[in-house]
Amino acid sequence: TLFRSHIFTCIALFIVSSSCHKEKVEPGDDNELITTVKLEFKSITNSSLPTKSFYWRDIQGDGVMDSADPIVLSKNTTYEMNVSLLDETKRPVFDISEEVEEESDVHLFVFKSNPLGLLNVQIKDLDKNGMPIGLRCEIKSQFAPGTGKFNVLLKHQPPVNGKSVKTGNEEGGSTDVDVTFPVVVQ
């Protein structure tokens, strides 16, 4: 009877202690897999020019670029550019751009042209705080033909002490996307 009483006490203590010390399981904040960056250019200067799409791809999602289309644009032309971020490992293809737009107050695209004047970018979309996002832009190609590179960065810049910290450049926050396209202006 003493043995039974001891076992019963141990079981009761185990049940009470495990119910008091349950670990709270929280879902992880996994980053989305971005396998494809699509840049779509529609001429504002000349509406007869076809809309062009250029892709940077890492289909395996291993961080190694599979391909980057050269961006080929007409000289001295203004374009509307739309950015799409895709996960092409999923069926159907998952459009991550929608999530970036939903969380636009903590996301910022930064565009860098090398050489500097090859492509001039003006961000057209704004978040709820009036800060730039970069999913929709206006791009003007340089006056003369030339070649170079176009770097697209997506920065995740959450607020600090309740205030937006979007800097307008690559400083601050973490980088969700950092891809480079070759460019030909002809």
Side-chain angles (χ1 to χ4, degrees):
T1 52
L2 182 60
F3 180 73
R4 277 190 203 172
S5 173
H6 184 62
I7 289 178
F8 178 73
T9 303
C10 287
I11 291 172
L13 284 172
F14 174 75
I15 291 171
V16 169
S17 69
S18 50
S19 67
C20 292
H21 293 90
K22 282 186 182 175
E23 288 186 36
K24 186 176 180 181
V25 177
E26 295 186 25
D29 185 22
D30 295 336
N31 288 337
E32 296 293 340
L33 178 62
I34 299 172
T35 63
T36 305
V37 176
K38 175 185 172 187
L39 304 180
E40 185 178 85
F41 290 82
K42 180 180 179 182
S43 176
I44 296 170
T45 306
N46 183 352
S47 60
S48 68
L49 290 175
T51 298
K52 298 179 178 185
S53 296
F54 305 99
Y55 296 85
W56 178 97
R57 286 193 164 103
D58 170 18
I59 298 303
Q60 288 77 32
D62 58 5
V64 178
M65 176 189 66
D66 295 319
S67 65
D69 294 339
I71 297 171
V72 180
L73 300 174
S74 298
K75 67 181 181 178
N76 197 30
T77 303
T78 302
Y79 294 89
E80 176 184 303
M81 182 185 78
N82 292 306
V83 180
S84 297
L85 305 172
L86 307 170
D87 178 355
E88 292 189 294
T89 64
K90 294 194 170 64
R91 294 291 174 246
V93 171
F94 185 64
D95 186 353
I96 298 164
S97 314
E98 293 171 5
E99 287 187 14
V100 169
E101 190 149 20
E102 287 171 12
E103 300 173 0
S104 61
D105 59 325
V106 298
H107 286 97
L108 171 67
F109 279 93
V110 178
F111 304 99
K112 295 189 287 184
S113 175
N114 184 9
L116 193 57
L118 187 66
L119 301 176
N120 294 299
V121 180
Q122 182 180 17
I123 293 176
K124 291 301 204 178
D125 52 346
L126 304 174
D127 67 18
K128 64 184 179 186
N129 300 312
M131 303 293 285
I133 305 166
L135 287 167
R136 285 174 290 289
C137 302
E138 191 172 285
I139 293 195
K140 174 124 171 101
S141 58
Q142 72 181 11
F143 184 73
T147 60
K149 296 182 182 195
F150 187 60
N151 183 230
V152 178
L153 292 108
L154 174 59
K155 300 298 289 187
H156 183 85
Q157 298 178 325
V160 175
N161 298 324
K163 294 184 179 179
S164 180
V165 295
K166 286 188 176 182
T167 61
N169 61 42
E170 69 268 16
E171 301 301 320
S174 61
T175 301
D176 292 332
V177 168
D178 185 0
V179 300
T180 302
F181 290 81
V183 177
V184 177
V185 173
Q186 53 188 19

